[in-house]
Amino acid sequence: MDQHYTTAMDSRFGVLTLVATDLGLRAIKWPVERAGRLSLPDEMIPSQDHPILEATRVQLEQYFRVELTEFDLPLDLRGTEFQRSAWVGLATIPYGETVSYSEHAARIGRPKAVRAIGAANGRNPISIVLPCHRVVGVNGNLTGFAGGIETKRELLALEKNNT
């Protein structure tokens, strides 16, 4: 089994835990995580200098300072084919914009899979980098987000105020 490396970083939302393999970024864990949301090994290697973790930390800091609108990181996505397509599709939602779950489903060629999109987004292991916070209810209401609804609101405001 491949090695997983981890480091913590302070953010405006509390301490985020970054997880990577040598292939790419595997996860960004929020300060409070819902049990079972992420499938990660129990044992991970703490690392302050893993290049993917360092690049992730730098890019997240730039994003929070509104100096970066698009991430450029290798990703190690693990999930079903549908989940991976939903997660990769998140990266096509422009900075500062939102789409509904039904729009997101249509964008990945699965217009009837609205509930499945919601479930896949709920298990998105790389929040912020793969911006599931940009997916909202059909009426514009903010719905589920691993970091919490208030965090989702703040991320959307950060982007909207800087476009």
Side-chain angles (χ1 to χ4, degrees):
M1 181 171 218
D2 48 5
Q3 297 292 325
H4 283 67
Y5 304 90
T6 186
T7 194
M9 75 170 276
D10 289 322
S11 81
R12 64 193 293 162
F13 303 108
V15 176
L16 300 176
T17 302
L18 312 178
V19 179
T21 65
D22 288 327
L23 296 175
L25 183 63
R26 274 277 279 126
I28 297 174
K29 293 173 63 177
W30 293 95
V32 177
E33 275 289 338
R34 185 181 82 241
R37 184 179 82 84
L38 299 173
S39 178
L40 296 168
D42 292 331
E43 294 193 26
M44 294 187 272
I45 301 167
S47 176
Q48 296 299 317
D49 58 1
H50 190 280
I52 294 170
L53 294 175
E54 179 61 15
T56 302
R57 185 189 60 73
V58 167
Q59 289 187 35
L60 283 169
E61 288 173 349
Q62 291 171 331
Y63 170 84
F64 292 136
R65 290 192 310 260
V66 297
E67 298 168 357
L68 180 93
T69 60
E70 221 172 281
F71 292 91
D72 182 21
L73 296 164
L75 305 178
D76 184 358
L77 296 175
R78 301 187 192 183
T80 66
E81 184 179 332
F82 178 82
Q83 286 173 324
R84 288 191 313 271
S85 70
W87 298 335
V88 169
L90 292 167
T92 68
I93 304 169
Y95 181 90
E97 296 182 21
T98 59
V99 300
S100 69
Y101 287 91
S102 57
E103 289 172 303
H104 183 48
R107 283 170 162 236
I108 68 162
R110 300 288 298 272
K112 296 183 186 217
V114 178
R115 286 184 183 217
I117 282 289
N121 286 356
R123 295 186 67 84
N124 172 15
I126 308 175
S127 302
I128 306 173
V129 171
L130 295 177
C132 52
H133 61 276
R134 296 180 190 153
V135 183
V136 298
V138 71
N139 56 3
N141 286 346
L142 302 187
T143 58
F145 183 66
I149 295 296
E150 191 52 40
T151 298
K152 184 172 188 165
R153 185 181 331 282
E154 287 184 46
L155 289 169
L156 291 172
L158 173 109
E159 293 181 8
K160 186 170 179 61
N161 293 334
N162 295 289
T163 51

